C-alpha cells in the first residue's frame, strides 16, 4: 500500500510518502524563521505558510519517492489536535487530493501518530511494528506533555498530561527569560553544556504527586523570581551556564521520574519517547540510565521523527487501514482539541 500523508498541526509543514511500513520520503518545511521574531508561533502566519508550502512540498515528496499520483492507494492528514487554521489547510488539501483522485482518506490524531514514531528506524526508515511491545509512551513537545499506556497496536489510554504548560513551553519560556532566542529549548540545551546542574535548586513540580499529571508553569515562574533576585547571573557566562543546566535538570528529573514510575506501575517493560523535547540529549541520557536501572527497554524516536513530520501520520494511517479501519468521510472537519482518548 502506498500512502501520501500531510501534517500541518502547528508550525511545520510536512509531506511524506510511505509504502508497506517504509518511509519513501518525508519532507518538512520549517517555519522557525517566520515565528522567531515574535518569540512564538503566530497562528495566522502558520496558516499562510502552510498554504504557500503545501503544493510544492507535496510534489517534491512524490518526486523524491519516485511515486506518481496514480501509484497512491490512500491519502492521510492530521485532523487534530492543533492550531485550527493550520489544521484546516492540511486537512482540506488532503481531502481535495483524495477527492480528485477518487482515493480513500484517513484523518489522523497527531498524538496517536507520535505514539508510534519511536518504532521507526533505519535507512530507509521503517516502522518496526513486528518488534512492538506494550509500553508507556512519553510525548513531550512545545504544545503537549502526555504519558500514555499503549497496551497494543492501536489500543491506548492516557495516564496523565500537563495541567498547565508543556515541557517544551517551559524550556522556551525559561530560555526567553535567560535572554535566548526562540525556540529556546535547543539553545538552552547548548548553553547548559558544561554547566553545573546542581548549582541552583529549582522546584520539581508534581514529582511526588500520585497522578501521572505534570505541571510546568510554576517552574517557569521560579526562574523569573530567581532572575529578579539574582540579575547578575546573566552577566556571568559561567553562572548563566549553571542556571541553564539547573533549569534543564529540573524539567528532566520530573519527566524521567514520572515516566519510569508509570511504566513500573502498569507493568510494561518498554518506554517510548517522542516530541521535540525528546531531541534533548540530557533527557535522553537520564532516561537511558533510569530505564536501565529499572530493567526497562527504552526506544526514543530518531530526532527527525521526534519533531512534527508527516511520515508518522502516513505510517499510522497505513497501520489503521491494515487493521480494517474504514476511510474517514471526505467532508469530515478538523478537531483542534481532539483528545487521544476520544
Ligand atoms: O514537537 P515539536 O517540534 O513541535 C510541537 O510543539 O508540536 O516540539 C517543539 C518543542 C519546542 O518547545 C522546542 O523548544 C523543544 O521542542 N525542543 C527542545 C529541544 N529541541 C526541541 N527542548 C529541549 N531541548 C532540545 N534539544
Ligand atoms: Zn507534535
Amino acid at each position: 500500500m502506498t500512502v501520501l500523508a500531510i501534517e500541518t498541526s502547528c508550525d511545520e509543514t510536512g509531506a511524506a510518502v510511505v509504502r508497506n511500513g517504509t518511509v519513501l520520503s518525508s519532507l518538512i518545511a520549517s517555519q522557525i524563521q517566520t515565528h522567531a521574531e515574535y518569540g512564538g508561533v503566530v497562528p495566522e502566519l502558520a496558516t499562510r505558510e502552510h498554504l504557500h508550502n503545501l503544493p510544492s512540498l507535496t510534489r517534491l515528496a512524490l518526486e523524491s519517492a519516485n511515486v506518481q499520483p496514480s501509484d497512491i492507494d490512500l491519502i492521510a492528514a492530521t485532523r487534530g489536535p492543533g492550531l485550527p487554521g493550520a489544521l484546516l489547510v492540511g486537512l482540506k488539501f488532503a481531502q481535495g487530493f483524495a477527492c480528485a483522485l477518487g482515493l480513500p482518506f484517513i484523518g489522523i490524531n497527531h498524538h496517536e501518530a507520535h505514539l508510534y514514531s519511536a518504532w521507526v528506524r533505519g535507512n530507509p526508515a521503517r516502522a518496526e511494528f513486528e518488534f512492538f511491545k506494550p509500553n508507556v509512551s512519553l510525548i513531550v513537545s512545545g504544545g503537549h506533555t502526555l504519558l500514555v499506556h499503549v497496551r497494543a497496536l492501536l489500543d491506548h489510554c492516557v495516564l496523565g498530561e500537563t495541567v498547565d504548560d508543556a515541557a517544551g513551553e517551559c524550556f522556551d519560556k525559561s530560555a526567553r527569560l535567560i535572554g535566548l532566542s526562540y525556540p529556546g529549548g535547543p539553545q538552552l540545551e547548548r548553553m547548559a553544556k558544561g554547566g553545573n546542574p546542581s548549582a541552583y535548586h529549582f522546584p520539581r513540580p508534581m514529582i511526588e504527586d500520585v497522578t501521572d499529571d505534570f505541571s510546568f508553569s510554576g517552574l517557569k515562574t521560579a526562574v523569573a523570581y530567581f532572575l529578579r533576585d539574582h540579575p547578575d547571573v546573566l552577566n556571568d557566562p559561567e553562572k548563566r551556564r549553571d542556571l541553564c543546566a539547573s533549569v534543564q535538570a529540573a524539567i528532566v528529573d520530573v519527566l524521567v521520574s514520572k515516566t519510569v514510575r508509570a511504566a513500573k506501575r502498569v507493568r510494561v517493560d518498554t518506554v517510548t519517547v517522542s516530541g521535540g523535547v525528546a531531541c534533548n540529549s540530557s533527557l535522553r541520557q537520564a532516561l537511558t540510565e533510569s530505564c536501565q536501572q529499572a530493567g526497562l527497554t527504552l526506544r526514543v524516536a530518531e530526532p527527525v521523527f521526534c519533531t512534527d513530520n508527516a511520515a508518522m501520520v502516513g505510517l499510522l494511517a497505513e497501520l489503521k487501514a491494515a487493521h480494517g479501519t474504514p476511510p474517514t468521510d471526505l467532508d469530515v472537519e478538523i478537531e483542534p482539541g481532539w483528545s487521544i482518548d476520544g
Side-chain angles (χ1 to χ4, degrees):
M1 171 176 281
T2 303
V3 185
L4 169 68
I6 303 295
E7 153 65 39
T8 62
S9 63
C10 189
D11 60 341
E12 322 267 15
T13 316
V17 179
V18 308
R19 177 180 287 157
N20 303 332
T22 298
V23 181
L24 300 186
S25 66
S26 179
L27 302 182
I28 290 161
S30 171
Q31 303 179 6
I32 284 181
Q33 293 300 340
T34 306
H35 302 288
E37 65 177 292
Y38 302 96
V41 177
V42 182
E44 174 66 20
L45 294 182
T47 304
R48 288 175 194 218
E49 289 253 338
H50 289 312
L51 266 174
H52 179 76
N53 293 336
L54 255 187
S56 54
L57 199 74
T58 304
R59 195 174 310 123
L60 263 180
L62 288 169
E63 273 170 22
S64 53
N66 205 12
V67 160
Q68 305 296 322
S70 56
D71 300 327
I72 303 170
D73 301 302
L74 175 68
I75 309 264
T78 305
R79 231 184 114 191
L83 300 172
L87 288 168
L88 202 58
V89 173
L91 184 76
K92 294 299 153 189
F93 179 86
Q95 288 170 333
F97 216 105
C99 186
L101 294 178
L103 289 172
F105 164 80
I106 292 189
I108 292 293
N109 181 301
H110 179 80
H111 289 153
E112 192 179 2
H114 269 302
L115 288 184
Y116 300 102
S117 50
W119 299 94
V120 186
R121 286 276 165 82
N123 189 13
R126 201 178 67 78
E128 298 181 339
F129 290 142
E130 70 275 24
F131 299 129
F132 176 86
K133 288 277 185 62
N135 61 81
V136 160
S137 189
L138 173 69
I139 303 175
V140 262
S141 70
H144 301 275
T145 304
L146 275 175
L147 261 184
V148 184
H149 182 192
V150 189
R151 294 175 289 228
L153 286 174
L154 305 180
D155 176 17
H156 59 259
C157 69
V158 174
L159 299 171
E161 59 193 310
T162 184
V163 297
D164 41 52
D165 289 355
E169 208 173 344
C170 185
F171 265 108
D172 293 342
K173 287 178 175 171
S174 302
R176 195 172 185 180
L177 290 166
I178 295 167
L180 304 170
S181 58
Y182 174 86
Q187 304 241 31
L188 194 143
E189 176 182 3
R190 261 193 298 281
M191 189 65 78
K193 291 235 155 68
N196 175 6
S198 313
Y200 308 110
H201 182 77
F202 287 101
R204 270 67 172 157
M206 292 182 82
I207 196 164
E208 300 293 350
D209 192 83
V210 288
T211 71
D212 294 317
D213 288 337
F214 299 91
S215 164
F216 288 104
S217 73
L219 179 50
K220 164 205 67 192
T221 309
V223 175
Y225 285 147
F226 175 85
L227 285 170
R228 181 197 62 190
D229 298 339
H230 307 86
D232 53 303
V233 164
L234 293 186
N235 303 323
D236 180 322
E238 198 181 325
K239 287 183 182 164
R240 208 162 171 235
R241 270 199 298 278
D242 288 348
L243 172 61
C244 289
S246 301
V247 173
Q248 178 172 263
I251 300 172
V252 167
D253 263 5
V254 177
L255 292 174
V256 173
S257 154
K258 299 202 78 160
T259 302
V260 170
R261 191 186 69 176
K264 285 197 214 161
R265 195 188 67 247
V266 302
R267 296 174 189 276
V268 292
D269 61 15
T270 301
V271 165
T272 68
V273 191
S274 66
V277 180
C279 295
N280 184 282
S281 53
S282 174
L283 175 63
R284 294 169 92 98
Q285 172 84 22
L287 274 167
T288 304
E289 286 165 13
S290 288
C291 285
Q292 210 161 27
Q293 273 170 19
L296 295 162
T297 302
L298 174 69
R299 282 187 87 109
V300 186
E302 290 181 358
V304 283
F305 299 118
C306 273
T307 46
D308 291 345
N309 65 89
M312 66 180 186
V313 173
L315 291 167
L316 176 58
E318 195 180 35
L319 185 69
K320 281 181 178 270
H323 279 72
T325 303
T328 313
D329 282 347
L330 270 184
D331 56 358
V332 83
E333 289 300 338
I334 55 166
E335 290 267 13
W338 197 5
S339 160
I340 195 174
D341 268 343

